[in-house]
Amino acid sequence: MVGGRPPARAAKPLARLGGGPGGGRWHGWRAAWQAARRQSPGTAWQALQLWQRADELAWQEQLQRRLCRAEAPAPAQAPLAKLFFCIDVRSEPLRRALEAACADLETGGFAGFFGLPIAYTPLGTAATRPQLPGLLAPQLQVGDSTGDARQDHLLAQRRQARLARNGRWRLFERVPASTFTLVESIGLSYAGALLGRTWGLLKDSGEAHRAAWRGAEWQRLKPVLPALTLPQKAELAARILRAMGLGATVPPLLVLLGHGSQSANNPQAAGLNCGACCGQNGEVNARLLADLLNDAEVRRALREQGLDLPDHCHVLAGLHNTSTDEVQVFAPETVPPALQPAWQRVRQALDEAGARVRRERAGRLGLAPLAERPQKLLATLRRRARDWAQTRPEWGLAGNAAFIAAPRARTRGVDLQGRAFLHDYDWRQDGEGQLLELIMTAPMVVAHWINLQYFTSTTDNLRFGSGNKVLHNVVGGHIGVFEGNGGDLRIGLSRQSLHDGQRWVHRPLRLCVVIEAPRNMIDKVIDKHEVVRHLVDQGWLYLLRLDGSPARLEQRVASGWKALEQA
């Protein structure tokens, strides 16, 4: 870690000592470690520290110039709609493009599990999966339903039969003997499937929770919460709405957009999905919350708690495909006739914004010649997402370097290059500082984990990354991966997730956290939570405070707060 002592100096004594933590070996280990820490770092290590610090300062200056502009653009007084995105860095370009496409729209950033403490079990399976951050434990078990128990039972039976058949076929494909017998047994009849997978021509959703469903069957299902009393539903909805910061003026349309990636034959697919949903996509959470907020009885109960979702307001759920930057919105036919014109403008803006972002991303994906051919570019991205030989369906969170918790007015219109986690936060609506405490102990910590994973996988891919993705072999179905046919289980990100074959796409920088809040509110959270205090005081991340108009930045250091020099 930058700022510490080089671990290599302690490696040789530790290797010689080995053994368990008992007797002289333990004391010898501690003595060797302390001796290594007391040694002065070498010239080469000091040079690396210097270059690392310079790179981080250059990014801070760039961030400062972008955030501390003379005047922020005024948001729409009566927005046509408000769209909530996950705080993921891949949402930032789409939010920026959407607001440019239609100035009457507002966007917000919130953790992509949308505050729902759930575990999800798809109908017809026993594969329960968490849909919330790894820091939290699920409190509610949810599933799918058509609304008719008999139909649910019949659909579950059909799916189980198909999954069993698919499982037997997959076993036949993967046993060692199939290397010699599979092609000979089925001959040219398998050629179509091979070519389809190779060229990304097979139309497969690639999503585990949709496996073995026919299209018409899937359309009949939707995720449902367990049986809750009305007060329980209202309390859950109220807690989420307050955390999302919805003010007194609620636009007629609210759109909740989860996100998920699309790739084929990818053991590391979870690393491209929503971190707030524990490596799943956010579709289930968005759809559940939309249904909850559209419930008329829940709205009446919310009014008793001072939260008014007007009768004319309609909530939609959708999914942002981060591989193709397409946005699917579910059940648009439920939009009331009076809101159809507004919905059509939102849909048009989403399509235009997606095209802009695809054009922006084309160069990084090696598709620059297609940047001005939108239909061809979209078709190519769709094929990449279905191609079982594609090692880079998208760049994921490569480039992440900042976490910003502030009102959207501070970042609206600012090009943050898809490098910032954006969480909406207004300290003026957070009297006790509870929301700030939640942000600094959950989303900020998760963003730091992601940043550190990319940092270490880039700086030392041999030890902290997983090497060459082409050589990965899955162990035990879901335990992990080997690089090659043996050795240790590999952790971290593959080289292909960070390097395009010619240069590193990710720059390893410690996370810059920027929060707009008074000093005492931030200091209170640091003093209360040891984990946050260690992250700040030990230099695992940079903590900056945004204040004033025009804005200025202050940095939290060991002695307190100091103004950041003007870039």
Side-chain angles (χ1 to χ4, degrees):
M1 185 62 203
V2 175
R5 291 288 186 261
R9 294 185 177 274
K12 291 182 180 178
L14 289 177
R16 289 197 298 267
L17 286 167
R25 287 185 175 182
W26 174 245
H27 292 292
W29 180 89
R30 291 186 61 190
W33 180 257
Q34 294 299 330
R37 286 178 57 83
R38 286 192 295 270
Q39 292 180 17
S40 298
T43 305
W45 182 254
Q46 290 178 332
L48 285 174
Q49 286 182 302
L50 182 64
W51 282 109
Q52 178 69 36
R53 178 66 174 144
D55 210 5
E56 290 170 341
L57 285 174
W59 165 243
Q60 285 184 20
E61 288 181 357
Q62 187 181 150
L63 195 61
Q64 184 181 27
R65 281 194 300 269
R66 293 171 188 268
L67 292 177
C68 299
R69 55 196 171 173
E71 188 175 348
Q77 293 299 315
L80 185 72
K82 184 160 187 175
L83 296 91
F84 281 94
F85 290 77
C86 180
I87 65 173
D88 189 285
V89 298
R90 292 165 291 181
S91 299
E92 186 272 327
L94 188 59
R95 292 177 62 181
R96 175 167 31 92
L98 187 62
E99 291 164 346
C102 182
D104 293 331
L105 298 180
E106 280 189 359
T107 68
F110 191 67
F113 76 115
F114 290 107
L116 290 171
I118 61 171
Y120 168 60
T121 306
L123 182 67
T125 78
T128 300
R129 70 192 200 200
Q131 291 275 157
L132 75 174
L135 285 166
L136 307 175
Q139 299 173 20
L140 301 172
Q141 299 291 324
V142 305
D144 300 312
S145 178
T146 61
D148 183 315
R150 183 174 174 276
Q151 286 297 316
D152 289 350
H153 180 69
L154 290 173
L155 287 174
Q157 286 184 320
R158 290 181 198 167
R159 188 185 198 190
Q160 288 164 357
R162 291 174 194 147
L163 288 172
R165 287 197 301 271
N166 293 344
R168 289 192 293 270
W169 172 251
R170 220 171 266 120
L171 179 63
F172 175 57
E173 283 185 314
R174 294 179 180 179
V175 294
S178 292
T179 305
F180 306 100
T181 61
L182 181 62
V183 175
E184 286 80 356
S185 300
I186 60 179
L188 290 175
S189 63
Y190 200 58
L194 285 173
L195 291 173
R197 291 181 182 179
T198 302
W199 294 101
L201 300 176
L202 295 181
K203 293 187 176 181
D204 180 9
S205 72
E207 298 170 32
H209 66 288
R210 295 194 185 190
W213 283 127
R214 304 285 187 263
E217 293 170 340
W218 173 252
Q219 293 295 329
R220 294 163 60 189
L221 293 168
K222 68 176 183 178
V224 291
L225 288 167
L228 299 174
T229 64
L230 181 58
Q232 289 173 324
K233 290 181 180 179
E235 179 59 32
L236 178 62
R239 187 169 68 246
I240 294 170
L241 289 174
R242 291 191 180 102
M244 293 172 74
L246 270 177
T249 304
V250 179
L253 271 179
L254 291 177
V255 185
L256 311 175
L257 291 176
H259 71 94
S261 184
Q262 183 182 354
S263 58
N265 189 32
N266 184 7
Q268 296 184 328
L272 298 176
N273 274 326
C274 180
C277 297
C278 212
Q280 318 296 340
N281 77 41
E283 174 186 336
V284 171
N285 300 65
R287 295 179 72 179
L288 283 170
L289 183 57
D291 282 347
L292 181 66
L293 297 181
N294 281 329
D295 188 315
E297 291 185 345
V298 171
R299 290 191 179 190
R300 284 193 290 271
L302 285 173
R303 290 190 187 104
E304 297 175 3
Q305 300 188 38
L307 293 167
D308 186 17
L309 281 181
D311 293 335
H312 67 267
C313 175
H314 188 75
V315 187
L316 289 166
L319 186 70
H320 170 206
N321 182 330
T322 55
S323 297
T324 65
D325 281 303
E326 295 174 280
V327 176
Q328 178 185 6
V329 177
F330 304 105
E333 68 279 359
T334 63
V335 176
L339 296 179
Q340 279 295 331
W343 158 242
Q344 293 303 324
R345 288 184 64 190
V346 172
R347 180 68 267 179
Q348 182 180 358
L350 285 169
D351 293 339
E352 184 179 337
R356 290 188 186 195
V357 176
R358 286 190 289 273
R359 186 166 61 247
E360 185 179 312
R361 292 174 56 215
R364 295 181 74 198
L365 292 169
L367 301 174
L370 301 179
E372 302 305 322
R373 301 170 62 190
Q375 295 304 318
K376 180 69 172 177
L377 177 59
L378 177 56
T380 301
L381 290 173
R382 287 172 174 170
R383 281 199 302 272
R384 287 172 64 96
R386 297 191 296 262
D387 182 359
W388 68 346
Q390 178 55 250
T391 58
R392 300 180 182 94
E394 62 161 288
W395 282 113
L397 293 92
N400 74 85
F403 176 95
I404 302 173
R408 177 56 174 166
R410 289 292 195 186
T411 55
R412 186 176 176 121
V414 179
D415 183 359
L416 293 168
Q417 305 169 328
R419 305 183 68 186
F421 300 90
L422 296 181
H423 198 303
D424 276 30
Y425 173 69
D426 188 346
W427 65 270
R428 298 164 191 83
Q429 299 180 19
D430 187 21
E432 300 296 322
Q434 294 176 338
L435 293 181
L436 180 62
E437 182 178 3
L438 182 63
I439 290 170
M440 292 181 67
T441 55
M444 187 188 85
V445 174
V446 172
H448 164 68
W449 288 352
I450 294 169
N451 174 265
L452 190 61
Q453 181 186 43
Y454 275 82
F455 186 108
T456 54
S457 294
T458 303
T459 54
D460 192 348
N461 196 258
L462 178 64
R463 293 178 177 84
F464 299 114
S466 56
N468 187 348
K469 191 175 188 179
V470 176
L471 302 179
H472 283 181
N473 282 305
V474 177
V475 181
H478 58 269
I479 297 173
V481 295
F482 286 150
E483 186 181 11
N485 61 358
D488 293 330
L489 290 174
R490 300 307 306 267
I491 61 172
L493 300 165
S494 69
R495 187 177 176 88
Q496 285 88 344
S497 297
L498 308 159
H499 196 279
D500 67 3
Q502 297 180 331
R503 64 181 182 88
W504 292 103
V505 173
H506 180 73
R507 295 189 68 83
L509 306 175
R510 283 175 285 181
L511 192 68
C512 272
V513 176
V514 181
I515 299 174
E516 182 177 356
R519 295 175 182 175
N520 64 314
M521 288 180 70
I522 299 174
D523 288 338
K524 182 180 177 182
V525 178
I526 295 173
D527 293 339
K528 183 176 178 181
H529 294 276
E530 185 180 26
V531 170
V532 177
R533 188 163 62 251
H534 285 330
L535 291 178
V536 176
D537 292 347
Q538 301 302 322
W540 292 96
L541 50 77
Y542 295 99
L543 180 58
L544 307 175
R545 192 178 78 88
L546 187 64
D547 189 27
S549 181
R552 60 184 183 275
L553 286 174
E554 295 180 341
Q555 183 177 351
R556 178 62 149 73
V557 294
S559 58
W561 293 92
K562 72 169 186 177
L564 208 64
E565 296 181 8
Q566 292 295 319

